[in-house]
Amino acid sequence: MTFGVFIHRPDSIYDDRPDQRYQFPGQYRRRVEACIGSWIIYYEPRKIPGTRGYFAVAKVTRVIPDPNAPGMFLAVIGSYLPFVNPVPFAGPDGVVERSVLNEAGRISGRAQSAVRPISDTDFHHIVGLGLAGASDQPPRIGDPGSPANLQEEQEIFNIDQTQDRARYLTSRTLRDRVFRQIVVSAYDARCAVTGLRLINGGGRAEVEAAHIRPVEADGPDIVSNGLALSGTAHWMFDRGLIGVADDRRILVSRHVNDPDSVRAMINGTGCIFPPARASDRPHPAFLRWHRENCFKG
């Protein structure tokens, strides 16, 4: 098993869904198959406007022929985890992926390869940078169970033991923390339903990250499966009392006992406030799942 780097472009001609599948031509088959059962890092090229650089880590579970594209293959992806901090290709000390340098210390042609192996050291370094601070959110003031004199123990990215690494990257605690941070950041700490942006005295945003399709129903921990919601809006969304149409209109269930008060709580546009980045906006497939399985129309 080998660690790898998979290049992905938002405008890719390939049928990629980074959290689900990675499509590639046969010339990369050996390299991708070498990563089966192991972890890879996704990377957006530097020439992409607003590039995120290295932006997520994921596991390759298997490789299959693409049933819809002869001659193409699919890497089936699991345990996808976005980075809290996208990692640029180069930092103050030079390129972070030292594996792409040749013997003279210059960037080699390997850096252009859509699929390439990466050294253990580079993998751990990039993942460590990408997930740094994943548990550093300021506590809620007066939160029960979060006394001011107690701090959550910081999990360490163990670079020596494969089992510890897998346990860390698949930890529900870590994934919940990462999900909250990336969703709240994408929505600029603003409730998508009410439009309110409230920060408490401890510097923590008073919104929660809601999964549109829950983890228990195989919902992924990605921004397009999330909404930043105030506590009341989150409660109503999870119980199907409000939903969201594909055009982002906020729907109110006929089962709500006080619909006028609920409509008064909704921001004046009647639609959710979406993230600025198009790829972060709620995916219609997740919204549809919520309407069909949770929303009480």
Side-chain angles (χ1 to χ4, degrees), residues 62-114:
R62 65 186 189 278
V63 172
I64 60 173
D66 189 332
N68 301 313
M72 302 294 288
F73 295 85
L74 297 174
V76 181
I77 300 298
S79 301
Y80 179 89
L81 183 65
F83 286 162
V84 171
N85 319 292
V87 181
F89 181 75
D93 300 322
V95 299
V96 295
E97 187 185 345
R98 308 297 292 178
S99 312
V100 300
L101 299 179
N102 58 25
E103 293 180 358
R106 297 187 178 91
I107 298 174
S108 68
R110 172 185 283 193
Q112 304 301 318
S113 182

Side-chain angles (χ1 to χ4, degrees), residues 26-296:
Q27 69 192 77
Y28 291 115
R29 185 173 180 180
R30 283 192 177 183
R31 293 185 187 179
V32 176
E33 287 179 340
C35 297
I36 294 176
S38 190
W39 296 87
I40 60 96
I41 294 172
Y42 278 112
Y43 172 71
E44 277 183 0
R46 287 179 289 175
K47 57 187 175 182
I48 299 295
T51 178
R52 293 173 291 174
Y54 302 92
F55 66 91
V57 63
K59 194 170 187 178
V60 178
T61 61
R62 65 186 189 278
V63 172
I64 60 173
D66 189 332
N68 301 313
M72 302 294 288
F73 295 85
L74 297 174
V76 181
I77 300 298
S79 301
Y80 179 89
L81 183 65
F83 286 162
V84 171
N85 319 292
V87 181
F89 181 75
D93 300 322
V95 299
V96 295
E97 187 185 345
R98 308 297 292 178
S99 312
V100 300
L101 299 179
N102 58 25
E103 293 180 358
R106 297 187 178 91
I107 298 174
S108 68
R110 172 185 283 193
Q112 304 301 318
S113 182
V115 176
R116 57 181 182 262
I118 185 174
S119 71
D120 289 18
T121 301
D122 286 348
F123 175 85
H124 295 303
H125 180 54
I126 294 171
V127 172
L129 293 172
L131 296 178
S135 59
D136 291 346
Q137 284 290 301
R140 291 181 184 274
I141 300 301
D143 245 3
S146 300
N149 62 334
L150 293 180
Q151 294 184 348
E152 293 179 333
E153 183 178 349
Q154 178 96 16
E155 294 187 73
I156 303 300
F157 186 64
N158 190 307
I159 66 171
D160 297 318
Q161 300 182 36
T162 301
Q163 187 175 6
D164 286 350
R165 177 177 57 243
R167 184 163 59 244
Y168 177 79
L169 291 175
T170 57
S171 160
R172 191 66 252 160
T173 299
L174 172 70
R175 288 175 168 268
D176 285 343
R177 290 171 179 169
V178 168
F179 182 72
R180 182 183 191 279
Q181 286 185 250
I182 62 176
V183 170
V184 171
S185 176
Y187 283 83
D188 193 28
R190 186 181 303 279
C191 173
V193 168
T194 67
L196 294 175
R197 186 179 188 273
L198 301 175
I199 309 296
N200 73 14
R204 181 186 177 108
E206 289 294 338
V207 290
E208 302 166 358
H211 284 86
I212 300 171
R213 179 169 182 160
V215 172
E216 297 78 11
D218 298 323
D221 299 306
I222 57 178
V223 176
S224 61
N225 185 39
L227 290 170
L229 299 174
S230 64
T232 300
H234 191 174
W235 181 86
M236 295 182 70
F237 185 78
D238 282 353
R239 283 155 183 77
L241 299 178
I242 57 175
V244 181
D246 286 350
D247 61 2
R248 303 184 194 133
R249 284 181 300 110
I250 300 169
L251 309 173
V252 178
S253 168
R254 56 188 173 85
H255 293 275
V256 170
N257 66 336
D258 189 358
D260 290 339
S261 293
V262 172
R263 291 192 176 94
M265 180 183 74
I266 295 170
N267 75 81
T269 70
C271 299
I272 62 167
F273 285 107
R277 187 181 175 97
S279 61
D280 287 343
R281 295 169 187 169
H283 196 285
F286 299 134
L287 294 176
R288 183 171 59 251
W289 188 94
H290 182 270
R291 291 196 302 272
E292 293 175 353
N293 294 274
C294 296
F295 180 62
K296 300 177 176 68

